[in-house]
Structures are given as structure tokens and as C-alpha cells.
Amino acid sequence: MSTEVAKQYGFSVLVSGFARMWRGVLPFLVVIVVNALVQASVLGLSWWWLAIGISAAVLLISFAMTTHIAVRSVTQRSGLADLPEADLLRFSVWVVGWTLVVNLGLMVYWYPGLVLLALTPFVPVAAAAGARNPVAANFAAIRSRPVRWLVTVLISLGVILVIWVLTALNSFFVQGWLAAFSSWLLIGFVAAWLLTAWAALYRSASGVE
């Protein structure tokens, strides 16, 4: 029998996530800006394999730190000193595996990957929160808050689509280093918001530890 867990959101998960995101504004800002600088700068490297390696490594570290701060920001304020507390190795193992599975679905066709993404949105948050099995915790969270999960998935996918269009337009009209830098700033800000929202929903679910 599951124990009722206090809700960490109000009438809207995404509005609550946006409000609580500001508890970690400084570490979020540092991670977002550093990642944007690196992602924009590697475009100038002549060795493509080195550019891809640096880009992927920095993106993974940034994702881990952003998710870690998002989980913390649901219940408390976060500062720069909290960034090193992220368990990079454990997070990387789970998230790299999750990313490969989702991308494999996308390679088959767009909707299998989209379905996999919609069914596993809690995996990064659960990994950052220290769940023993983030996949099992993901489905426990869905079972605990099925309606909120569905609504938040649909709105999140809509937000991601809008950001995709905006970054594409930005790359077309602005171009170059500035386009890449500004696009990654936008992506980082939205990622911090959505991850905090999903962390709030995860923290409101029972049976996820």
C-alpha cells in the first residue's frame, strides 16, 4: 500500500516548476552560459571528431548538473557549492542508456522515439535524485500521478516543438557563432524550467525511491 506524498506543485506543474526554478538561478545560469559558450565555440574546430567529443562531454555534464539543481530546487535553494554534489558517473550511465534507447526509437521512425520519450520522462530526474532503479521509479511516478503525467507530457512536447522552431529560425536568420550561442542559451533555460517541473512532479509521487 502506497503512502500519500505531499504535492510539490500547485494548479500547474509547469507553472510551479518555473517558480521554483529561480531557487537555483545562479548555478543554472553558470551551467547554461558555460555550456552555450562551449557548444558555440566547438563549431570552429577543424577536427570534427574532437568537436563532437567535447560537445557531447560538456552537454552530458551540463545535463547532469542542471538536473541535480532542478531536483534540489523543488524543496530548497541551491548555490554554486551544490554543483559538485551531482553524481556524474551514475547519472551518465543511466542517461546515456536512456538517450540511446530513445534515439534508436527515433531512428526507426519519429513516433516510436516520441512514445519512448513520453513514457520515460522521469528517468533523468530519478537518476539525479538517487533512485535505486530510475526506470522503475519512472513508472512508479507515472502510476502515482497518471493525469498530471499525461498533461505535463503533452505541454512539454508542445514547448519543445516551439523551441525547435525558434532555434531553427534563429540559425536561419542570425547564423554563425551568435546563433549557436543564443540558441543554446534558450535551450538551457527551457531545460532548467522543464526539469524543475518534472522534478516537482516526481517529488510528489509515491513509491519512487
Side-chain angles (χ1 to χ4, degrees):
M1 183 176 180
S2 61
T3 304
E4 186 66 22
V5 177
K7 291 198 304 181
Q8 298 294 337
Y9 57 86
F11 73 94
S12 167
V13 173
L14 290 169
V15 170
S16 298
F18 185 81
R20 298 192 182 197
M21 174 185 74
W22 299 102
R23 293 175 174 178
V25 61
L26 184 56
F28 276 144
L29 186 60
V30 169
V31 172
I32 290 168
V33 171
V34 169
N35 179 64
L37 284 170
V38 172
Q39 301 303 332
S41 298
V42 294
L43 294 175
L45 292 178
S46 56
W47 294 337
W48 62 268
W49 53 269
L50 181 60
I52 292 175
I54 294 173
S55 175
V58 173
L59 186 59
L60 182 59
I61 294 170
S62 299
F63 189 19
M65 290 185 169
T66 300
T67 310
H68 170 67
I69 297 300
V71 171
R72 282 183 55 89
S73 297
V74 173
T75 56
Q76 59 190 308
R77 294 188 178 278
S78 300
L80 293 178
D82 298 308
L83 286 173
E85 294 178 4
D87 190 343
L88 296 179
L89 180 59
R90 187 175 186 280
F91 182 89
S92 298
V93 169
W94 282 101
V95 169
V96 168
W98 171 72
T99 303
L100 289 174
V101 171
V102 171
N103 283 329
L104 183 61
L106 290 170
M107 287 170 63
V108 173
Y109 199 57
W110 65 268
Y111 62 83
L114 201 62
V115 170
L116 284 170
L117 183 62
L119 289 174
T120 56
F122 293 105
V123 169
V125 170
R132 288 188 295 273
N133 185 333
V135 175
N138 169 81
F139 290 111
I142 292 174
R143 288 194 301 271
S144 179
R145 304 283 182 181
V147 176
R148 289 288 185 170
W149 158 75
L150 182 59
V151 172
T152 308
V153 160
L154 294 175
I155 298 175
S156 295
L157 289 176
V159 170
I160 292 170
L161 178 60
V162 170
I163 297 305
W164 180 79
V165 172
L166 289 176
T167 54
L169 289 173
N170 185 43
S171 298
F172 180 78
F173 288 108
V174 180
Q175 302 181 351
W177 187 92
L178 184 59
F181 178 70
S182 55
S183 292
W184 279 106
L185 283 181
L186 178 61
I187 291 169
F189 178 82
V190 173
W193 167 34
L194 293 181
L195 285 168
T196 306
W198 280 104
L201 186 54
Y202 178 80
R203 289 297 193 193
S204 305
S206 56
V208 296
E209 297 303 329

